[in-house]
């Protein structure tokens, strides 16, 4: 009977190749969980290197762990997608995810960690609704690209938002000297986007807010957990997970606790930080599977040695790619000022024009490098090289770039 049970279709469902076998306990079959840790990804194992801007590539070790736990989570007989968000298994998972994130970023006790829904775009409204007393309360915005511009426009609905600096005239290729940011001392907060995914502009340091409350707010969606950050400098940090820390569906918000509880009366219950802080992110059914994956990613980042080590790897990958662009004699062009080039999103064009860019993207895809097309609003090529992009992927891309240039002088 045992042998028959071990070979039923159900028992073989999702059995991963090369993974540890299925254990049997009390007549129930479940996959053994592989440990997390540094995991090399080669082209033969996944078929492609995925340079997408988001949803983006995830660590292979995390995907294998999730695969192994998918049918039977920790011997519960259920997938984590099936179990109650108020049960002991998921309670342990979300608490560990928060604890590991706090360890990664050294989040102080003065700040709450919230796992939210609606993407970072929903926080464009939530921030002014929670931080401004009403629509006449001023707020300052540094508009350094498409996402900070969208945040500003949304905030105008719920505050007297104004642009303290804009990079639009320069096509969002630079960031301002901090003394050039025309801050209103009466502004409730200063908002920045720490890394513009579309334009490839990244803050290497952060401005000091001059408002009375000292509130700096950052959309960190596309460089969240890519490097250490002094969380104590921020009133609010928010980030969609789907770039560096998980799948789409969950947004992480780190909020200074003294800023929670004074939302405008019109604030919807799901946009009120207090709703989620008071209920440990469990006011309603959260995006359980996405939070679980984030937890695995946090564990993986800790296993790599933490964010200081991750930052070194990211800087090395970005350096290889930018050096190739700059050494091409103008064949490839990155328009972003060198001092603020993103380590996460590298946009570039080909001097020979859009037709060659299309050819470049098509040929790269045939070689296993996909999702290199630039954002529809700017065109060109964009290589997103988040935490989970292995060094081998960047090395393959730069080798292809050199070969393409040699074949198409």
């Amino acid at each position: 009977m045992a042998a028959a049970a071990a070979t039923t279709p159900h028992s073989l469902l999702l059995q991963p190749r090369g993974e540890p076998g299925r254990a049997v306990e009390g007549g129930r079959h479940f996959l053994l969980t592989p440990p997390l840790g540094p995991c090399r990804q080669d082209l033969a194992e996944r078929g492609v290197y995925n340079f997408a801007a988001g949803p983006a590539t995830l660590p292979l070790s995390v995907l294998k762990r999730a695969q192994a736990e998918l049918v039977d989570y920790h011997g519960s007989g259920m997938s984590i997608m099936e179990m109650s968000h108020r049960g002991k298994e998921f309670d342990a998972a979300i608490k560990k995810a928060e604890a590991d994130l706090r360890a990664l970023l050294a989040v102080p006790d003065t700040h709450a960690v919230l796992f939210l829904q609606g993407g970072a775009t929903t926080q464009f409204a939530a921030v002014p609704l929670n931080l401004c007393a009403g629509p006449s309360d001023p707020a300052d915005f540094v508009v350094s690209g498409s996402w900070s511009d969208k945040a500003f426009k949304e905030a105008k609905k719920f505050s007297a938002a104004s642009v303290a600096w804009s990079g639009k005239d320069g096509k969002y290729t630079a960031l301002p000297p901090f003394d050039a940011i025309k801050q209103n001392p009466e502004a409730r907060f200063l908002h920045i986007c720490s890394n513009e995914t579309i334009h490839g502009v990244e803050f290497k340091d952060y401005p000091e807010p001059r408002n009375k409350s000292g509130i700096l707010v950052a959309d960190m969606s596309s460089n969240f957990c890519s490097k250490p950050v002094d969380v104590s400098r921020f009133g609010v940090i928010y980030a969609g997970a789907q770039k560096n820390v998980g799948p789409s569906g969950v947004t992480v918000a780190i909020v200074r606790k003294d800023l929670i509880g004074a939302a405008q009366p019109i604030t919807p219950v799901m946009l009120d930080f207090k709703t989620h802080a008071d209920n440990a992110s469990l006011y309603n059914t959260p995006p359980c599977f996405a939070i679980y994956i984030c937890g695995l990613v946090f564990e993986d980042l800790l296993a790599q040695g933490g964010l200081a080590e991750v930052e070194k790897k990211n800087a090395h990958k970005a350096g290889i790619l930018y050096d190739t662009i700059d050494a091409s004699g103008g064949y490839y062009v990155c328009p972003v000022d060198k001092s603020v080039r993103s380590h996460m999103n590298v946009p570039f064009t080909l001097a020979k024009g859009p037709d060659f860019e299309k050819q470049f993207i098509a040929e790269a895809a045939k070689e296993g490098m996909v999702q290199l097309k630039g954002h529809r609003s700017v065109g060109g090529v964009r290589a997103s090289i988040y935490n989970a992009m292995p060094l081998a992927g960047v090395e393959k891309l730069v080798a292809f770039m050199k070969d393409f240039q040699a074949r198409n002088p």
Side-chain angles (χ1 to χ4, degrees), residues 121-150:
T121 303
T122 300
Q123 298 308 304
F124 296 169
V127 166
L129 283 168
N130 280 271
L131 302 186
C132 294
S136 62
D137 224 355
D140 285 337
F141 282 74
V142 174
V143 178
S144 55
S146 294
W147 292 110
S148 49
D149 183 52
K150 290 179 179 180

Side-chain angles (χ1 to χ4, degrees), residues 31-299:
L31 287 171
L32 296 176
T33 300
L36 281 173
C39 182
R40 291 185 178 274
Q41 173 194 331
D42 59 39
L43 201 59
E45 193 158 14
R46 298 197 68 184
V48 299
Y49 289 120
N50 176 13
F51 291 91
T57 190
L58 285 164
L60 185 58
S61 58
V62 166
L63 293 175
K64 287 185 173 183
R65 170 80 169 266
Q67 181 186 42
E69 296 180 340
L70 185 63
V71 174
D72 188 344
Y73 179 72
H74 292 192
S76 66
M78 298 177 286
S79 170
I80 200 163
M81 290 187 286
E82 301 173 299
M83 59 182 55
S84 170
H85 60 293
R86 303 194 189 281
K88 64 179 181 179
E89 293 92 353
F90 184 74
D91 182 66
I94 193 172
K95 285 179 177 175
K96 187 176 188 304
E98 178 178 340
D100 285 349
L101 178 58
R102 284 185 176 276
L104 278 169
L105 284 170
V107 179
D109 291 339
T110 52
H111 288 61
V113 172
L114 310 176
F115 295 103
L116 308 173
Q117 299 180 64
T121 303
T122 300
Q123 298 308 304
F124 296 169
V127 166
L129 283 168
N130 280 271
L131 302 186
C132 294
S136 62
D137 224 355
D140 285 337
F141 282 74
V142 174
V143 178
S144 55
S146 294
W147 292 110
S148 49
D149 183 52
K150 290 179 179 180
F152 160 67
K153 289 174 179 175
E154 184 73 359
K156 287 176 67 176
K157 301 175 183 177
F158 310 106
S159 68
S162 60
V163 176
W165 182 86
S166 174
K168 185 176 182 179
D169 289 345
K171 297 184 179 179
Y172 300 127
T173 56
L175 289 173
F178 292 160
D179 59 5
I181 301 173
K182 298 178 180 179
Q183 296 191 50
N184 176 0
E186 300 301 318
R188 182 59 179 155
F189 61 85
L190 172 66
H191 182 284
I192 64 170
C193 178
S194 65
N195 186 85
E196 289 283 356
T197 316
I198 294 173
H199 296 92
V201 177
E202 181 175 19
F203 278 87
K204 306 303 180 181
D205 194 9
Y206 307 104
E208 291 292 335
R210 297 177 187 166
N211 53 75
K212 292 178 181 179
S213 302
I215 302 173
L216 178 62
V217 176
D219 174 1
M220 290 193 178
S221 292
S222 54
N223 67 348
F224 187 62
C225 284
S226 68
K227 59 184 178 181
V229 171
D230 183 357
V231 173
S232 67
R233 293 182 61 180
F234 296 85
V236 180
I237 292 171
Y238 62 92
Q242 67 274 11
K243 314 291 187 178
N244 261 324
V245 299
S248 59
V250 61
T251 300
V252 179
I254 303 174
V255 185
R256 212 171 72 200
K257 291 178 181 177
D258 66 306
L259 302 178
I260 297 172
Q264 296 181 35
I266 64 168
T267 305
V269 66
M270 289 300 291
L271 297 190
D272 190 335
F273 291 150
K274 190 174 189 300
T275 299
H276 305 286
D278 286 352
N279 292 277
S281 301
L282 297 172
Y283 175 77
N284 69 331
T285 306
C288 297
F289 190 75
I291 293 170
Y292 154 73
I293 295 292
C294 287
L296 297 186
V297 173
F298 299 152
E299 190 176 331

